[in-house]
Amino acid sequence: MNAEPHVVIEDSPHRGSAGARRATAEFLSLHCAWADLDAVLLVVSELVTNAALHTTGWWRLHLTAGADTLVLAMDDSSPLPPVPREPDFTGGGGFGWHLVLKLAGRVEVCPLPYGKRVQATWMRPVATAPAGC
């Protein structure tokens, strides 16, 4: 029995999301080419940025590709769940969590003994047959 492709990306919260985005793009090209790269990279950026801004400790990004699923899990040291904010169009933010919820097929937040996990899951799109004449 073959295990599903999985990678763990660890980084300092002070280094930003560029390394996580780069590693995610490489993982998707190798194991999950059907995924919407732009949507997944935006979710990675938002989750890494939120972990860096709202925790005082570490974060860890997990990616797992199944035949028909992609699971992105962000573990961090804060037990506090994400809180949606009213978007501030004058530059105060508030868009990130709304984007995560919109771009991923399913989003779950689970407490962990050492913080929390935010998990986003995408399903492979069902191929549609061309319309008949």
Side-chain angles (χ1 to χ4, degrees), residues 5 24 27-28 31-32 34-36 40 62-73 105-106 119-124:
T24 299
F27 180 83
L28 293 182
H31 304 292
C32 201
W34 57 263
D36 180 340
V40 175
H62 303 257
L63 298 167
T64 305
D68 294 319
T69 60
L70 170 65
V71 178
L72 181 159
R106 183 175 72 228
Q119 183 168 296
T121 304
W122 288 265
M123 300 299 295
R124 179 192 290 265

Side-chain angles (χ1 to χ4, degrees), residues 99-123:
L99 287 171
V100 169
L101 295 174
K102 182 77 172 165
L103 294 172
R106 183 175 72 228
V107 178
E108 301 168 274
V109 180
C110 305
L112 298 172
Y114 46 81
K116 70 173 169 304
R117 171 172 284 180
V118 177
Q119 183 168 296
T121 304
W122 288 265
M123 300 299 295

Side-chain angles (χ1 to χ4, degrees), residues 12-36:
S12 163
H14 306 292
R15 291 183 52 195
S17 61
R21 287 193 313 269
R22 199 170 23 261
T24 299
E26 181 179 325
F27 180 83
L28 293 182
S29 71
L30 294 172
H31 304 292
C32 201
W34 57 263
D36 180 340

Side-chain angles (χ1 to χ4, degrees), residues 2-133:
N2 292 338
E4 294 178 329
H6 177 86
V7 66
V8 176
I9 302 164
E10 292 184 73
D11 212 335
S12 163
H14 306 292
R15 291 183 52 195
S17 61
R21 287 193 313 269
R22 199 170 23 261
T24 299
E26 181 179 325
F27 180 83
L28 293 182
S29 71
L30 294 172
H31 304 292
C32 201
W34 57 263
D36 180 340
L37 180 63
D38 292 330
V40 175
L41 292 181
L42 187 51
V43 170
V44 166
S45 293
E46 292 299 332
L47 293 180
V48 169
T49 299
N50 285 346
L53 288 174
H54 302 293
T55 68
T56 58
W58 54 270
W59 57 264
R60 184 173 298 121
L61 177 65
H62 303 257
L63 298 167
T64 305
D68 294 319
T69 60
L70 170 65
V71 178
L72 181 159
M74 171 62 82
D75 297 350
D76 67 46
S77 62
S78 172
L80 301 174
V83 176
R85 296 186 299 139
E86 189 68 32
D88 180 351
F89 292 96
T90 64
F95 296 93
W97 185 240
H98 297 287
L99 287 171
V100 169
L101 295 174
K102 182 77 172 165
L103 294 172
R106 183 175 72 228
V107 178
E108 301 168 274
V109 180
C110 305
L112 298 172
Y114 46 81
K116 70 173 169 304
R117 171 172 284 180
V118 177
Q119 183 168 296
T121 304
W122 288 265
M123 300 299 295
R124 179 192 290 265
V126 176
T128 56
C133 297

